[in-house]
Amino acid sequence: MALSEGAIETWLSRLDGARTGKKNHGACDMTSQSSVKPTLRNCEFYLARMNACQVEANETLLPNVRDRALRAAAAWQEMYKKARQFDEKRQGR
């Protein structure tokens, strides 16, 4: 199940909002996408979510929120790496 263009645009706009100081709800505002296969298109999404989590971790004063955001950023980074590897293998065929 691939992410729709609208879903990617929504998350990217939220990331942009995080950069400009506009409040967002972080991980609580995310919807679950089941069995998303790694692709280059998803790779950009994973990178955007990783960056948003890192911004959230840097901006918060609460240790438990910071820890949660850093764990989420690490998970998004792992998905990003797997998507890049998948894309590299696919292009090598």
Side-chain angles (χ1 to χ4, degrees):
M1 177 177 178
L3 295 172
S4 68
E5 286 289 328
I8 292 173
E9 289 176 19
T10 299
W11 290 118
L12 290 176
S13 69
R14 289 183 184 158
L15 173 62
D16 188 47
R19 287 187 197 139
T20 59
K22 192 171 87 175
K23 295 291 181 189
N24 62 17
H25 299 291
C28 297
D29 197 27
M30 294 175 46
T31 57
S32 176
Q33 294 288 332
S34 60
S35 68
V36 176
K37 295 182 181 177
T39 65
L40 183 58
R41 187 169 147 187
N42 291 339
C43 187
E44 294 169 0
F45 174 77
Y46 299 149
L47 186 60
R49 288 304 307 148
M50 180 187 71
N51 289 332
C53 290
Q54 289 173 341
V55 167
E56 183 181 7
N58 290 334
E59 291 178 350
T60 189
L61 300 176
L62 301 171
N64 59 330
V65 174
R66 183 179 305 110
D67 291 343
R68 182 198 70 208
L70 291 173
R71 284 192 310 270
W76 287 114
Q77 183 177 25
E78 186 64 28
M79 288 183 272
Y80 171 77
K81 287 179 182 178
K82 287 182 181 182
R84 293 295 298 172
Q85 290 172 351
F86 177 82
D87 187 53
E88 289 170 4
K89 287 180 183 178
R90 188 174 61 177
Q91 288 181 0
R93 290 183 187 176

